[in-house]
Amino acid sequence: MNVAIIGGTGYVGLVTGVGLAAHNHQVICADINETKINGLNNGILPIYEEGLSDLLSEVKARKKIHFTSNISAAVEASDIIFVSVGTPEGKNGETDISQLVRALKSIANNMNTYKLIAIKSTVPVGTNEMARKFLQSNLKNHSCSFDVVSNPEFLRVGSAVQDFLSPERIIVGADSKKAADMMKKLYSSFDTPIIVTDTKSAEMIKYACNSYLATRISFINEIAEICEKVNADIHAVLDGMKLDKRIGGLYLSPGPGFGGPCLSKDIKSLINTGVKANANVNLLKSVMGRNDVQIMNIMHTVEHELAEMDAKKVSVLGLSFKAGTNDTRNSPAIRLIEKLIEKNYEIVVYDPVVKQLEDVLNPQVTFSKSADEAAKGSDCLIIMTEWDEFKKMDLKSVYYRMRTPVIIDTRNILSVEEAFKAGIRYSGIGTRKLQNKETMKVYRNIV
Ligand code: UDX
């Protein structure tokens, strides 16, 4: 089928375009960002995702995809038009759909025959209905008919290609059989269940999924805090929970709180939708509230561990919002660094792939070339993402490199026992504190 992707250079749009081309559809990725479009036409990817570069080369070789900033031509040449533009967080948690409206305007101006518009961007419940009315009232060529469907995506940063090519389900919100049948045909080569529902339910599925994932994360972070206070071990608690098939073990890893471009944005948007609809959304609000507590708790631990000393040098390992990506959008590590700056700590940072921060932060931190270098002379090492290289650190060597051997492991990736044996004063999230008189004193290796 002939497919256009408006917003075709972002995480969702580019991965969707390349993925559909790999399934032998003829794809035009259209975007107003000419720099990205030109880059893609020359094989330069605006994002890094495992497997994306090879797949793009393969579909370009088969001439199944091309990139253009000519939105009009893309609309005219296609049967199905995906809209995967950004829908960022607006004021007080509302979703900013201005980019969506601009895309709909382009479609309305250039529709030359029947078109199926598929909204893939994450949009508040009811947006699909708004889009249909907007198109109807802005249509230039009133002889054209069209349908609008909702087709939310569930890609994760760092595994977007895999998530697109092997989805656990495809959701289609459609108000006409013709539209639903076209989407089923589009995805007929995917070996996965296709759930067809009404548009509002399809829009809600996306928010419900992301809000549930965020809820699991905030839940286990709260359980971890209680474990610390009552001296229970979160590792044992998780072992005892995950074998229950109703619970499982995914999205139950305690940490510094959820970050990234989606979870917070989506749960805030759903709260906003609920408040406007006069629903009681206390649970969703508490999930966000719990998330904010995590960074505060980490700061309390830093200050508690370094209280009796004139310690000033703190090293942060991991800057992205999770391992496996260079994406720092809404990163807990960045939120922590901002708090450390407020408290006048000297801050050294290291990340395997993030080599600079936004301008305002760069001058206030020192970038190290490795975790070892970041540990040298440090009074407190804070692990913020779960990169394998952090898991493999030689703790005895870290002990001698640091000025004060204090590690705060917000991902629980190190062994409490190994850290204790290395003489390190270790704090995890919900883990036991193993201490003896040595680690209680926290020797200063004054170098
Ligand atoms: C998320 C959803 O998973 C995806 O389906 C949706 O399409 C977009 O939003 P993503 O933002 O890439 O994907 O991140 P995800 O892998 O879900 O992690 C989100 C945050 O939660 C990260 O900061 C991660 O470190 C954190 N997290 C995740 C935990 O703290 N504990 C966990 O057990 C899992």
Side-chain angles (χ1 to χ4, degrees), residues 100-138:
L100 172 74
V101 172
R102 264 202 304 280
L104 293 172
K105 189 80 175 126
S106 299
I107 295 169
N109 289 340
N110 294 285
M111 228 186 281
N112 54 348
T113 179
Y114 171 83
K115 301 292 175 187
L116 176 58
I117 293 99
I119 297 178
K120 190 164 268 295
S121 304
T122 303
V123 291
V125 176
T127 302
N128 196 293
E129 196 170 314
M130 176 284 289
R132 189 172 43 72
K133 289 174 182 164
F134 181 90
L135 286 167
Q136 196 56 55
S137 54
N138 285 273

Side-chain angles (χ1 to χ4, degrees), residues 120-269:
K120 190 164 268 295
S121 304
T122 303
V123 291
V125 176
T127 302
N128 196 293
E129 196 170 314
M130 176 284 289
R132 189 172 43 72
K133 289 174 182 164
F134 181 90
L135 286 167
Q136 196 56 55
S137 54
N138 285 273
L139 204 53
K140 224 176 192 169
N141 180 343
H142 284 281
S143 66
C144 294
S145 62
F146 63 89
D147 283 301
V148 185
V149 297
S150 174
N151 179 219
E153 51 72 35
F154 302 92
L155 311 181
R156 288 164 298 169
V157 167
S159 55
V161 174
Q162 168 68 18
D163 289 345
F164 183 85
L165 294 177
S166 309
E168 288 170 303
R169 75 317 201 174
I170 289 170
I171 303 295
V172 173
D175 295 331
S176 87
K177 186 178 179 316
K178 176 180 181 180
D181 289 347
M182 279 181 79
M183 293 300 283
K184 284 179 191 170
K185 184 180 172 199
L186 178 79
Y187 285 116
S188 56
S189 54
F190 285 70
D191 176 20
T192 191
I194 300 179
I195 295 177
V196 179
T197 181
D198 63 279
T199 56
K200 286 186 175 177
S201 302
E203 290 163 333
M204 187 57 169
I205 288 168
K206 173 67 185 174
Y207 284 102
C209 288
N210 267 8
S211 298
Y212 174 66
L213 294 173
T215 301
R216 278 178 76 97
I217 294 165
S218 282
F219 168 79
I220 203 62
N221 284 336
E222 193 142 306
I223 295 295
E225 180 173 347
I226 301 170
C227 284
E228 283 176 28
K229 298 287 183 359
V230 300
N231 203 24
D233 177 5
I234 191 64
H235 293 299
V237 170
L238 285 167
D239 286 346
M241 288 178 70
K242 64 189 177 188
L243 295 177
D244 184 324
K245 287 188 179 59
R246 295 169 302 172
I247 300 172
L250 298 177
Y251 281 77
L252 279 181
S253 300
F258 51 83
C262 300
L263 290 196
S264 296
K265 168 178 80 76
D266 290 352
I267 197 169
K268 285 179 191 173
S269 177

Side-chain angles (χ1 to χ4, degrees), residues 395-396 399 405 407 414-427 434 439:
L395 294 180
K396 204 59 204 160
Y399 172 86
I407 291 183
L414 301 180
S415 153
V416 179
E417 293 72 19
E418 290 305 312
F420 171 70
K421 275 191 270 180
I424 286 166
R425 201 168 150 98
Y426 173 94
S427 299
L434 281 187
T439 53

